[in-house]
Every structure is written in C-alpha cells, then in structure tokens.
Amino acid sequence: DISRTAERADMRVYLIGGIVRDLFLERPNDDIDIVVEGNGIDFAEHLRTDYGGSVKMHETFGTASWIHPSGLYIDVTSARLEYYERPASLPDVELSTLSEDLYRRDFTINSMALCLNPEVFGDLVDPFNGQADLRSKTIKVLHNLSFIDDPTRILRAVRFETRFDFLMDKQTESLALNSMARMRDLSAHRIVEEMKRLFKDEDPPGTIKRLFKLTFWQQFGVDDGSAEQSYIHAGQLKMFYEIHKPPAGQKARWFNYFAIPFFTSKKMYLMSQFSLTKRNNKFLQDIRNLSDMEGVERIREPGEFHRFLKHYEDEAIIFMIAKENMENEDIITSYLKRRIDMPIFLTGEDLIREGMKPGPHFRGILLDLEVAVLNGEINSRDEAVEWLH
Ligand code: ATP
C-alpha cells in the first residue's frame, strides 16, 4: 500500500530504525516507522486518501501517524535533523536528508533504512554498516559523542544486548564507561522510564549484573561490592515470579528489580532521588518493616503467617523470601496462595447478630478466624459460627 502511494505522490519513502533491524532478525515488531524525503504530514494524508483510516498530526515535529483501518499505527516522519544545542527545549526541526536522519540515531543496527518505492523496493540504505554488526551481534555507536549527547543510550544498549544476546564492541563499551557519570544529569523521570523498559526484558538478573559492570548503580550510591548478592537475589526473585505468578502488582515488577541493588547495599533511602509513586514508597516501607521483623522464620503453619503478614502485599513478601532463602518458604508461599482467595465467613455485623457487643476486640476475633480459615480448620460459615461460640 505504502509503496503505491509513494509512487503516486512521487516521494521517496523508507522503512527505518527498529523495524528494519527486527525484519533482519526475523523478530516481530508492531512499531512501524517510515521516513519520507518530503513532507511527512502530506504523505500521511495521501495514505488516508488512498486507503482510509485516519491521520493524527504532530505539527511541531513535522510528523504524523497514519492509523490503518485495521488499527495498526504507522508513524510517518519527514527526514529531518534535530539539534542538541538546546537540550531542554523541543528540537529545532529542519527538513533534511535521509542520511542525516540516520546519523542522529543510536546504534548502527538501528540506523538502516529500506526503500519502499516500487522501482527500488527493498534497497537497503546502511551508511554505518549495521548489517555487518547484526551478523556479528554487535552494538556500536555511530560516533564518540553519542553517549554524551544522550546517556539514556547506554541503557538502550544494555537492553539490546540482553534482548538479542548481543554485545557492545570494545570502543562502545569504553565510551559507555567513560560517560556513565552523565547519567546523574538525567531527570529521575527519564531514568525511571528506561528502567521500566529494561526490566521488562527477559533477563533482569543479567541486566542488573551488566549495569554493575558499567558502574550504573554506583553513580547513585550503591556499593560496588553488592553486585554478586544483587544478582543472586534477582535470580531468586525471577524464579519466584515464574513459579507463583502473583496476580497483584505486575506493573510494579520493574521497580522490585530496580530496588534490589539499593536494598543489598542497605541504602534504600537513596531511592528517594527517583521521585517515586505512592505505590513504590509503600513497597519500600513494607520491605523495611519486613527486614526488621523477628520470629517469622520459626513459623510452621500458614495461618500463623497471617498475624505477621496480613498487611503486607504479595510483592513485598515475595521480595523478602527471595532474599532470605528461608527454610519455611514453602509454607509462606502456600499462605500467599491461600490468602488470595480466602473466603470471608463472618463480618463485624455477623458478630453483632450473634449477640456480641461491638468494640475493638472484634478485630482480634476476626483475625483469629482468618488464621483458622487459612490453617484449614474452618471451612464453612456454619463452622465459623460454631467456632465463635
Ligand atoms: P523497541 O523494540 O524496544 O521499541 P526500538 O529500537 O524499536 O526498540 P524505539 O525506542 O521505539 O526502539 O526507537 C525507535 C528508533 O528510534 C530506534 O531504532 C532508534 O533508531 C531511534 N531511537 C530511539 N531512541 C533513541 C535515542 N535515545 N537516541 C537515538 N536514537 C534513538
């Protein structure tokens, strides 16, 4: 479709960036980016005229998205140059050539374009020899100032390393090490966004280890010496997630991995530099309280855990068991499973109906009831009422 419209509109049109890389790697990718030598917004309009769907414009950037009738998003950019002179503001936009567009990208494997015009369909534009780096599984920057221009690229490099099982070449790795201190200049928000993406990928323990090697954690006050322990903890945590799949908090999982190096160095207070959400803070608070808790390791019945752990979220509890490697961990996990669908046989209202005088002691009675339910001693409402008397 795009090819025919390109011919009719008499514009050069290219598939560009991550999608080209993933085509060569034969990996799925729904992020379709195309670049037009000419006006991208006009081209998106042409596509709509030819095939329907709708167009969303982002005029400041001279870009548009064409939403295909099937719902697929296709981002259309004008070949352009972004300047870094005013890093805090929006980039100055200037129409330019395709090779300039490729030059401002991050890595050679992401800086290839495939021409879509019918007469040259499939022609590869690869000024940095990304093909060869794909073959040798190498992440390579385009120039020596790349990480200085944008330190988040270091985190992107690590993401591609783990995802594709690639490695940075020597030069890129040493540039990453030398620019790592720049990481501290980034806003907390940008770091957090990259962490979310990093820890979504397959190998959080490997990612944590790699980031120690590149001195990422150390920039934020984590001790060099906690690398090994962090790696082990992350491995245990990953295993727990795979086995138990706790339903709550899937979204916060990246954060739990992110917290490990700080936790291992006993410096969780340093995480306040990452302007955290309420939920993140609650997790940290839970972890702190759980670390101070005594006596949990002696518990042998699932219900008894409830007295200690009722108010803690699954995620925090799993984080702690993963770290402790406790011998009663099977009982805790069976407690977690049971409490997810624990039936409520009696409420405060029921107690009143049974002739009891309301008061703060209700709380203790209901807790005892929950403990008995979790231990499998009470299995119905009738049994609960009987237990009450
Ligand atoms: P993913 O599959 O994780 O989305 P991607 O490579 O498609 O990976 P995007 O973040 O969607 O990643 O970026 C699309 C393209 O934009 C990249 O392939 C790269 O060429 C370019 N790009 C993205 N971020 C940067 C950056 N910080 N610096 C330079 N180029 C970038």
Side-chain angles (χ1 to χ4, degrees), residues 225-364:
S226 43
E228 190 55 29
Q229 199 50 42
S230 298
Y231 177 72
I232 294 171
H233 188 173
Q236 289 271 106
L237 190 61
K238 180 169 184 247
M239 193 188 73
F240 268 98
Y241 287 147
E242 278 162 9
I243 299 173
H244 303 294
K245 301 195 174 56
Q250 290 265 10
K251 266 205 222 137
R253 200 153 293 175
W254 71 270
F255 181 75
N256 304 353
Y257 285 116
F258 182 49
I260 287 178
F262 295 94
F263 175 79
T264 309
S265 335
K266 302 198 172 30
K267 288 188 174 165
M268 285 220 295
Y269 62 92
L270 289 176
M271 295 194 79
S272 58
Q273 62 196 306
F274 296 100
S275 49
L276 308 173
T277 62
K278 257 199 193 140
R279 195 204 164 94
N280 294 155
N281 278 316
K282 159 91 167 75
F283 175 81
L284 294 182
Q285 189 60 49
D286 277 3
I287 297 296
R288 227 170 288 143
N289 294 342
L290 282 168
S291 329
D292 294 341
M293 205 176 271
E294 283 176 18
V296 181
E297 65 285 353
R298 288 190 294 274
I299 293 174
R300 288 289 170 268
E301 275 188 302
E304 288 308 311
F305 280 113
H306 201 52
R307 297 190 190 281
F308 289 89
L309 304 178
K310 178 178 162 107
H311 297 291
Y312 294 98
E313 290 189 17
D314 294 0
E315 294 279 325
I317 298 171
I318 287 177
F319 186 95
M320 289 310 290
I321 9 186
K323 177 237 160 194
E324 296 288 349
N325 221 342
M326 299 196 294
E327 54 180 272
N328 55 357
E329 80 184 25
D330 288 353
I331 311 171
I332 303 195
T333 52
S334 88
Y335 158 64
L336 284 176
K337 280 216 176 79
R338 287 184 200 189
R339 89 171 182 180
I340 291 170
D341 35 36
M342 177 174 64
I344 311 261
F345 293 130
L346 297 178
T347 65
E349 311 247 300
D350 294 319
L351 299 192
I352 295 171
R353 221 171 294 128
E354 293 297 320
M356 299 178 77
K357 217 168 157 228
H361 59 292
F362 271 23
R363 188 194 286 245

